[in-house]
């Protein structure tokens, strides 16, 4: 009995030592569900549920934020929300909408950002010929609302960048989402309420419009109205919107600061630089307060200024360099975890992992120095980062404390592997599908990977121009490892146009390239947006789409806001022959909402005048047919020159005579897209010449002209590409009431060839001839700064003209206040009284050089030229020169119409 009790006591002691000599703890992630796009569910630790990334504004410097995001993604640093201002909002919104970092970088680096903030918003090639004719002569336009001039709210209308943002929205994988909480990350853009001065979070709506609102830089872009509120650049009051994020219940904020430093003393030379500094001073204090509230701040070292959009690819690398600060960020996250759960403050050291020789376990061991003292919070963080890196379903640690030693066993569960990606209705070719399989083969079928695959497939479809395709569903077969993804391609079945108060719906519809039962394509969207912008009828264009998955259909809503259609344009032309002439054009460009125009134009000064009243239909209804009705009076004081007997280039002005013409014309034809037109014109005119001894005229001319014109020049004077071609045949008939019969033919061809970035070559040839009956008022002329060097304007007039020239223009790398060019031109040609054979020995040669400045009111051109010809005097040929001619001109009215 005693022995049995003794044995029981000893066994109890032994059992007690086993039970109480070893302790076991389990460290598990406190996982909670989170919804991802495409009805995908994942799980994240509850502590990281409101981790937020704050992206600052900073103009061009903001591209560095892409590099920071890349570093964070590689390290697996969690964030579920993005708050952004200006460029930070654009990058954050694109990322949230499904764009890959690589795609965002490619788009932003290759975008011409300068064009968005330029005074010159219109590309000439996108204008109809009549629009080019009018705009080429004006440097200032004022719109009239009632009887009040509309003062522009900014130097740029903002339509060009709005179109860019609309294309970004439609090009995103998630392009039909209007609630930004349904993006991959909860997205919040920060804009400033113009009337309250407060920073507001824009969490839903049209993503393109939100991008415009948050980046509406003062003076450069007009404010943006969303609903009943008006917004401007969020950077004014929250360029680093940390406080806005904290107020929105963000638990932990990682801020990226790429804001520009204040200008130095030597950078405050000009008024606009001082104005920028005055705006930046209060912003600096606001930024400091916001940064103080951030839990961690990345501030990449950037030497670029915010308005320098060159070499943007280097900025991504600058942002990525912050990856060496990731360990410090982990320390901050560790402290945050302890503040959320004090039990994680307990530390352990000299931990031995019991399961090694395993890739995942070895990686976990490398992420921690197990010999040092680590808090459970650090283990918790690294456990989650391990789960993210290896796409684990779950991961936890089991700690065993035995005889003063700490042992840990890493346990985890894996998702099955993806061995094949099968795409249904994806519009990708076999090579692209194979490439996709090569990239994702062997990846785990985690929710995050499935989301990534769907996004990359959709992104590739968008790159092909298909904006209609939408993800439908997916199916993963665990037995075969096949991930099958289904897409639908909804066809367009409805276009709704809203916002017009005056404009007829067909005027908007005719500019749209969308067709019923077609797919929505990037080309159709791009052309439609450009057409609406170039029409110059609207100051706001918004396009939204919605998909009905039940009947596989797509609806578009096009919302426009009309500009005041009445306007006044001003121009100026000064030259050394006709002195100062002004250009005034008063016009209504949307008569009765039809897009047709009525205009009154005056161009002239003391020595020449031109008055025009016209009605133009750029497009008849929805067709490309066009017509115009024009009443015109012109008067010109023309010098008459007398040449020396032995040198026709040596001339002396004899007198000046008056030439005038009062006419009415009606023309109809067809626009050749936006390059030119084919036109038939009937003209009834009374042409007069007086103060011309023995050659006065007063004739009624009734003629028909057929013309063909192409104009694709990039600029009316400083063009570096494109052509100008015009040809016409005109015939006057006595049978129609003309005092005289005559026929007249003319063509002119000019092409611009860009040799280098700064060097442009432009040859030109023109030829015209008429019969002997051609009256003096209708004759061709030769001479002048832009026609023939070494001759006066109208130095020669006749019934036949031939001229060819070869010119080269170089832009200086440094501007002399304005963009500066130097040009050299060689001319060859002659005027004849009547039609005859063209012989080289009869031709005059002209050579001249020009210095030109591209000023806001038009080109300022200083030229000097001299003409010469070869004279046969037996037994040799000599060169005969004319006088040097000096020319000056300022302003436009240089076109060939």
């Amino acid at each position: 009995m005693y022995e049995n009790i003794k044995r029981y006591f000893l066994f109890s002691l032994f059992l007690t030592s086993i039970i109480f000599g070893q302790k076991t703890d389990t460290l598990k992630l406190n996982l909670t569900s989170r919804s991802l796009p495409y009805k995908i569910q994942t799980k994240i630790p509850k502590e990281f549920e409101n981790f937020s990334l704050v992206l600052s504004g900073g103009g061009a410097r903001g591209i560095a934020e892409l590099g920071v995001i890349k570093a964070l993604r590689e390290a697996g640093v969690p964030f579920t929300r993005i708050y952004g201002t200006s460029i930070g909002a654009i990058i954050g919104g694109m990322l949230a909408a499904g764009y890959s970092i690589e795609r965002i970088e490619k788009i932003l680096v290759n975008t011409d950002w300068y064009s968005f903030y330029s005074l010159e918003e219109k590309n000439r090639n996108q204008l109809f010929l009549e629009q080019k004719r009018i705009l080429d002569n004006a440097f200032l336009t004022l719109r009239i609302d009632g009887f009040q001039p509309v003062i522009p709210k900014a130097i740029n209308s903002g339509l060009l960048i709005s179109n860019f943002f609309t294309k970004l929205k439609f090009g995103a994988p998630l392009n039909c989402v209007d609630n930004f909480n349904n993006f991959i990350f909860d997205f919040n853009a920060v804009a400033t309420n113009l009337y309250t001065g407060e920073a507001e979070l824009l969490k839903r709506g049209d993503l393109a419009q939100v991008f415009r609102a948050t980046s509406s830089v003062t003076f450069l872009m007009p404010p943006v109205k969303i609903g009943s509120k008006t917004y401007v650049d969020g950077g004014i009051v929250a360029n680093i919107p940390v406080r806005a994020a904290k107020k929105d219940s963000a638990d932990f904020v990682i801020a990226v600061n790429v804001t520009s430093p204040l200008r130095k003393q030597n950078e405050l030379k000009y008024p606009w630089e001082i104005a920028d500094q005055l705006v930046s001073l209060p912003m600096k204090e606001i930024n400091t307060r916001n940064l103080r509230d951030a839990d961690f701040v990345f501030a990449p070292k950037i030497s670029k200024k915010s308005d320098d959009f060159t070499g943007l690819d280097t900025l991504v690398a600058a942002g990525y360099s912050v990856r060496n600060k990731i360990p410090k960020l982990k320390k901050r996250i560790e402290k945050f975890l302890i503040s959320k759960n004090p039990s994680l403050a307990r530390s352990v050291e000299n931990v031995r992992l019991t399961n090694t020789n395993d890739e995942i376990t070895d990686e976990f061991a490398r992420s921690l120095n197990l010999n040092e003292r680590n808090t459970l919070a650090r283990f918790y963080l690294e456990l989650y980062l391990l789960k993210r890196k290896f796409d684990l379903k779950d991961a936890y640690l089991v700690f065993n404390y035995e005889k003063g030693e700490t042992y840990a066993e890493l346990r985890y569960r894996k998702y099955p592997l993806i061995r094949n990606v099968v795409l249904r209705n994806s519009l990708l070719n076999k090579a692209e599908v194979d490439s996709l399989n090569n990239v994702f083969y062997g990846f785990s079928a985690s929710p995050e990977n499935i989301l990534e695959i769907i996004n990359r497939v959709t992104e590739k479809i968008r790159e092909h121009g298909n904006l209609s395709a939408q993800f439908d569903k997916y199916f993963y077969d665990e037995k075969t490892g096949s991930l099958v993804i289904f897409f639908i391609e909804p066809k367009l079945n409805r276009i709704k146009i809203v916002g017009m108060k005056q404009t007829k719906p067909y005027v908007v519809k005719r500019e749209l390239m969308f067709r019923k039962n077609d797919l929505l394509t990037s080309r159709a969207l791009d052309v439609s947006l450009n057409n609406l912008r170039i029409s110059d009828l609207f100051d706001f264009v918004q396009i939204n789409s919605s998909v009905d998955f039940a009947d596989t259909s797509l609806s578009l809503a096009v919302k426009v806001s009309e500009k005041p259609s009445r306007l006044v344009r001003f121009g100026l032309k000064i030259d050394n022959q006709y002195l100062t002439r002004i250009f005034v054009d008063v016009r209504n460009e949307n008569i009765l909402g039809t897009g047709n125009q009525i205009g009154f134009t005056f161009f002239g000064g003391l020595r020449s005048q031109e008055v025009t009243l016209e009605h133009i239909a750029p497009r008849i209804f929805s067709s490309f047919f066009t017509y115009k009705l024009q009443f015109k009076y012109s008067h010109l004081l023309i010098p008459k020159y007398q040449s020396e007997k032995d040198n026709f280039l040596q001339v002396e002005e004899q007198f000046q005579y008056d030439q005038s013409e009062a006419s009415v014309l009606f023309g109809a034809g067809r626009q050749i897209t936006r390059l030119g037109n084919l036109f038939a014109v009937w003209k009834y005119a009374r042409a007069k010449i007086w103060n011309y001894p023995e050659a006065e005229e007063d004739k009624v001319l009734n003629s028909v002209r057929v013309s063909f014109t192409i104009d694709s020049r990039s600029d009316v004077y400083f063009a570096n590409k494109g052509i100008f071609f015009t040809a016409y045949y005109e015939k006057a008939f006595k049978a129609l009431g003309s005092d005289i019969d005559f026929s007249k033919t003319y063509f002119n061809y000019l092409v611009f060839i860009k040799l280098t970035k700064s060097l442009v070559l432009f040859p030109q040839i023109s030829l015209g001839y008429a019969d002997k009956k051609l009256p003096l008022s209708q004759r061709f002329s030769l001479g002048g700064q832009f026609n023939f060097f070494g001759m006066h304007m109208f130095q020669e007039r006749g019934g036949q003209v031939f001229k060819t020239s070869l010119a080269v223009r170089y832009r200086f790398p440094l501007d002399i206040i304005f963009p500066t060019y130097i040009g050299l031109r060689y001319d060859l040609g002659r005027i004849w009284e009547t039609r005859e054979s063209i012989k080289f020995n009869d031709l005059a040669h002209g050579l001249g050089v020009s210095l030109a400045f591209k000023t806001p009111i038009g080109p300022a051109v200083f030229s000097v030229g001299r003409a010469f010809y070869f004279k046969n005097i037996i037994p040799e040929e000599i060169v005969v020169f004319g006088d040097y001619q000096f020319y000056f001109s300022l302003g436009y009215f240089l076109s060939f119409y």
Side-chain angles (χ1 to χ4, degrees):
M1 179 77 175
Y2 175 77
E3 287 294 322
N4 286 338
I5 292 172
K6 184 178 178 181
R7 284 194 196 97
Y8 179 78
F9 177 75
L10 291 173
F11 177 77
S12 298
L13 263 169
F14 174 73
L15 185 62
T16 302
S17 69
I18 293 175
I19 294 173
F20 294 98
Q22 178 176 309
K23 183 181 177 183
T24 301
D25 283 334
T26 302
L27 182 63
K28 286 191 172 183
L29 298 172
N30 181 22
L31 297 176
T32 185
S33 293
R34 181 170 185 264
S35 296
L36 296 174
Y38 314 123
K39 299 180 181 179
I40 297 173
Q41 292 289 322
T42 188
K43 290 187 176 182
I44 63 169
K46 194 169 182 61
E47 295 83 359
F48 299 138
E49 204 171 18
N50 295 322
F51 261 49
S52 301
L53 178 65
V54 167
L55 303 174
S56 78
R61 294 164 60 92
I63 309 299
E65 292 176 313
L66 273 176
V68 178
I69 294 170
K70 187 177 179 182
L72 291 174
R73 296 280 290 269
E74 285 184 2
V77 174
F79 56 89
T80 59
R81 298 179 176 186
I82 297 177
Y83 297 82
T85 296
S86 195
I87 186 66
I90 295 167
I91 291 173
M94 291 178 72
L95 189 70
Y99 279 100
S100 63
I101 292 177
E102 294 75 21
R103 181 69 177 151
I104 297 173
E105 180 180 355
K106 184 177 179 181
I107 291 172
L108 298 188
V109 167
N110 292 308
T111 295
D112 180 10
W113 292 93
Y114 291 113
S115 65
F116 298 146
Y117 306 105
S118 170
L119 286 169
E120 300 176 3
E121 297 182 70
K122 294 182 178 66
N123 184 329
R124 288 186 82 255
N125 290 339
Q126 297 171 327
L127 302 175
F128 288 121
L129 199 63
E130 289 296 328
Q131 288 177 297
K132 295 174 186 177
R133 176 179 64 84
I134 297 168
L135 291 175
D136 281 347
N137 299 317
F139 67 83
L140 176 65
T141 300
L142 284 179
R143 292 191 175 269
I144 309 295
D145 189 2
F147 294 99
Q148 297 293 323
V150 178
I151 306 301
K153 297 178 181 178
I155 66 172
N156 190 288
S157 72
L159 268 178
L160 198 61
I161 198 169
S162 289
N163 287 358
F164 172 69
F165 289 149
T166 297
K167 288 182 278 187
L168 286 185
K169 178 187 72 172
F170 277 98
L174 295 162
N175 65 0
C176 285
V177 175
D178 59 5
N179 184 344
F180 304 155
N181 288 335
N182 294 331
F183 280 150
I184 298 170
F185 305 97
D186 294 352
F187 172 62
N188 306 268
V190 179
T192 302
N193 187 314
L194 181 62
Y195 302 122
T196 66
E198 296 178 351
E200 294 189 12
L201 295 179
L202 305 180
K203 296 172 169 285
R204 62 184 306 126
D206 177 15
L207 185 63
Q209 195 178 22
V210 167
F211 282 169
R212 262 285 285 116
T214 185
S215 59
S216 186
V217 182
T218 311
F219 303 124
L220 294 179
M221 296 284 177
V224 176
K225 190 171 184 180
I226 301 179
S228 60
K229 298 181 178 180
T230 302
Y231 296 99
V232 292
D233 186 5
I236 295 172
V237 293
N239 208 24
I240 314 172
V242 174
R243 288 190 168 185
K246 289 285 189 177
K247 189 177 179 180
D248 196 44
S249 72
D251 287 339
F252 189 93
V253 170
I254 303 168
V256 184
N257 177 19
V258 292
T259 58
S260 297
L262 293 174
R263 293 177 182 269
K264 297 177 182 179
Q265 185 176 352
N266 61 352
E267 296 174 327
L268 295 171
K269 298 178 181 179
Y270 303 107
W272 53 87
E273 293 175 339
I274 295 173
D276 178 65
Q277 186 85 330
L278 291 174
V279 174
S280 299
L281 285 170
M283 286 175 59
K284 182 177 185 296
E285 178 58 31
I286 296 171
N287 291 343
T288 302
R289 290 199 298 266
N290 272 278
L291 290 172
R292 203 177 293 139
D293 290 344
D295 295 282
F296 194 83
V297 178
F298 287 109
K301 293 182 179 179
I302 306 169
S303 58
K304 239 176 221 310
K305 294 182 180 179
S306 60
D307 58 354
D308 181 6
F309 289 96
T310 59
L312 296 181
D313 52 338
T314 61
L315 292 175
V316 179
Y320 183 68
S321 66
V322 303
R323 66 189 183 280
N324 58 3
K325 296 185 183 297
I326 297 293
K328 289 184 179 180
L329 172 58
K330 289 183 179 180
K331 287 285 187 183
R332 294 287 180 88
I333 297 176
E334 185 181 342
K335 290 179 180 179
F336 167 79
L337 290 172
I338 293 172
S339 71
K340 298 289 283 187
N341 184 357
S343 66
L344 294 177
R346 185 165 63 87
S347 61
V348 291
E349 61 180 336
N350 296 323
V351 177
R352 299 181 183 179
L353 282 174
T354 58
N355 52 335
T356 55
N357 298 322
D358 171 271
E359 179 189 7
I360 296 175
T361 306
D362 289 346
E363 176 63 28
F364 183 71
R366 281 193 295 270
S367 67
L368 291 156
N369 190 337
L370 298 176
N371 294 322
E372 291 183 354
R373 183 176 293 274
N374 291 295
T375 65
L376 291 181
R378 180 64 187 274
F379 280 98
Y380 191 92
L381 173 61
E382 294 297 344
L383 200 59
Y384 178 57
L385 296 182
L386 189 77
K387 178 183 181 300
R388 284 172 60 87
K389 182 171 184 177
F390 289 96
D391 303 309
L392 303 175
K393 188 178 289 187
D394 194 11
Y396 60 96
L397 280 172
V398 177
F399 289 100
N400 291 307
Y401 308 100
E402 184 178 349
K403 297 179 182 180
E405 299 288 343
T406 302
Y407 298 93
E409 180 185 359
L410 176 65
R411 299 179 184 178
Y412 54 82
R413 290 185 299 156
K414 293 182 176 182
Y415 287 99
L417 299 181
I418 296 173
R419 301 192 180 279
N420 186 31
V421 177
V422 180
L423 307 178
R424 305 295 187 194
N425 303 326
S426 71
L427 300 182
L428 298 186
N429 58 43
K430 184 178 183 303
E432 289 169 325
V433 175
D434 290 344
S435 174
L436 194 72
N437 272 299
N438 290 335
V439 171
F440 290 104
Y441 178 83
F443 276 50
S444 64
S446 67
E448 289 78 11
N449 281 343
I450 292 174
L451 173 70
E452 180 71 8
I453 292 171
I454 294 171
N455 277 333
R456 296 297 70 80
V457 173
T458 312
E459 186 177 66
K460 182 61 69 174
I461 293 171
R462 299 281 185 262
E463 287 184 52
H464 286 329
N466 186 335
L467 307 181
S468 280
Q470 300 291 325
F471 167 81
D472 185 24
K473 59 186 176 182
Y474 76 91
F475 170 76
Y476 175 70
D477 187 340
E478 194 168 334
K479 291 183 180 179
T480 63
S482 292
L483 175 66
V484 184
I485 306 172
F486 296 84
F487 287 85
I488 62 170
E489 290 185 281
K491 302 289 180 67
L492 187 60
N493 77 335
R494 184 176 178 228
I495 301 176
K496 183 180 180 182
I497 301 173
V498 296
M500 301 93 65
K501 294 180 180 178
Q502 177 187 2
T503 305
K504 308 295 184 187
Y506 76 82
V507 175
V508 178
K509 281 187 177 180
R510 73 188 184 188
E511 306 297 351
L512 302 178
M513 295 295 105
F514 314 125
R515 298 292 178 263
K516 204 169 182 179
N517 297 321
D518 280 354
L519 295 174
L520 178 61
T521 66
S522 56
R523 185 183 182 281
L525 177 67
D526 188 28
V527 174
S528 300
L529 289 169
N530 273 325
N531 286 351
L532 290 170
R533 178 177 66 87
I534 295 302
S535 72
D536 216 24
L537 300 177
F538 312 105
D539 57 16
F540 169 81
V541 175
Q542 179 181 346
I543 301 180
N544 288 316
S545 64
S546 59
V547 175
D548 188 331
F549 282 81
D551 64 359
T552 319
S553 65
L554 178 72
S555 298
L556 286 182
V558 181
K559 184 178 180 182
V560 298
S561 173
E562 295 165 313
K563 291 180 178 180
S565 60
R566 285 177 288 181
L567 47 83
V568 182
R569 293 188 176 94
F570 299 95
L572 178 72
K573 181 67 164 62
I574 302 173
D575 60 49
N576 55 328
Q577 179 153 337
Y578 285 98
L579 307 178
T580 301
R581 289 177 285 178
I582 61 172
F583 173 84
V584 180
D585 179 66
V586 182
R587 192 168 294 266
N588 188 329
E589 294 190 328
N590 197 11
I591 293 293
L592 301 177
T594 61
N596 294 344
Q597 303 180 12
I598 288 181
F600 172 82
T601 302
F602 171 80
F603 174 70
L606 296 176
R607 299 169 61 83
S608 72
Q609 305 84 36
E610 181 177 290
V611 180
T612 306
L613 177 65
E614 59 188 1
H615 169 65
I616 301 173
R619 296 179 66 176
I620 301 175
F621 296 110
S622 295
S623 73
F624 279 95
F625 289 101
T626 176
Y627 72 82
K628 69 177 176 180
L629 175 64
Q630 187 180 84
F631 301 89
K632 185 175 181 179
Y633 173 79
S634 63
H635 168 257
L636 200 61
L637 200 59
I638 300 176
K640 176 65 173 70
Y641 296 96
Q642 177 67 45
S643 61
E644 292 184 0
K645 184 177 180 181
D646 297 328
N647 185 351
F648 68 83
L649 294 176
Q650 199 78 36
V651 297
E652 181 179 348
E653 183 179 321
Q654 288 182 294
F655 57 85
Q656 294 184 350
Y657 61 93
D658 296 88
Q659 174 179 301
S660 69
E661 181 177 290
S663 65
V664 55
L665 68 81
F666 176 80
R670 193 183 190 284
Q671 306 282 8
I672 304 170
T673 60
R674 295 181 185 265
L675 293 176
N677 61 32
L678 179 63
F679 232 68
V681 177
W682 165 79
K683 183 172 80 169
Y684 179 86
R686 184 172 181 179
K688 296 178 67 177
I689 297 285
W690 72 95
N691 292 329
Y692 193 126
E694 301 179 359
E696 293 193 355
E697 289 182 357
D698 185 357
K699 298 186 181 297
V700 172
L701 305 177
N702 203 327
S703 65
V704 175
R705 173 187 288 195
V706 177
S707 65
F708 174 64
T709 303
I710 293 290
D711 184 1
S712 64
R713 292 172 294 171
S714 56
D715 186 90
V716 66
Y717 183 78
F718 296 105
N720 57 18
K721 61 181 178 180
I723 68 167
F724 177 82
F725 174 81
T726 186
Y728 66 80
Y729 173 75
E730 184 176 4
K731 176 69 176 175
F733 298 94
K734 280 188 176 182
L736 296 177
S738 181
D739 287 342
I740 188 171
D741 282 321
F742 70 84
S743 62
K744 184 179 179 183
T745 304
Y746 178 79
F747 87 89
N748 179 29
Y749 178 71
L750 170 66
V751 59
F752 292 86
I753 304 167
K754 190 174 182 179
L755 301 178
T756 68
K757 183 179 179 180
S758 303
L759 195 64
V760 178
L761 183 74
F762 44 106
Q764 180 183 15
I765 184 171
S766 56
L767 176 64
Y769 56 87
D771 57 30
K772 295 180 180 180
K773 299 177 182 179
L774 185 70
L776 176 60
S777 62
Q778 308 299 307
R779 291 183 182 180
F780 305 108
S781 65
L782 196 66
Q785 184 178 21
F786 304 106
N787 189 289
F788 202 101
F789 273 134
M791 292 188 185
H792 301 282
M793 194 181 299
F794 293 107
Q795 181 169 321
E796 292 195 345
R797 300 191 75 180
Q800 176 175 294
V801 63
F802 167 76
K803 195 205 79 170
T804 184
S805 65
L806 181 65
V808 62
R809 184 178 62 236
Y810 174 76
R811 175 171 178 177
F812 286 109
L814 296 177
D815 297 343
I816 304 176
I817 303 178
F818 304 109
T820 307
Y821 303 80
I822 188 168
L824 180 68
R825 193 179 79 227
Y826 166 72
D827 300 316
L828 177 69
R830 191 70 192 275
I831 285 275
W832 293 266
E833 187 73 22
T834 59
R835 188 173 179 180
E836 60 181 85
S837 299
I838 298 173
K839 299 176 182 179
F840 181 79
N841 286 343
D842 294 335
L843 301 179
H845 305 254
L847 189 63
V849 61
S850 298
L851 181 65
F853 303 91
K854 191 174 184 179
T855 78
I857 62 174
V861 188
F862 302 83
S863 306
V864 60
R866 195 178 190 188
F868 61 93
Y869 68 97
F870 296 97
K871 188 173 183 180
N872 289 321
I873 298 177
I874 298 175
E876 59 183 17
E877 187 175 66
I878 65 170
V879 180
V880 181
F881 289 94
D883 293 331
Y884 282 102
Q885 300 293 335
F886 295 90
Y887 309 94
F888 167 72
S889 69
L890 172 64
Y892 284 111
F893 215 81
L894 304 172
S895 53
F896 298 92
Y897 308 110

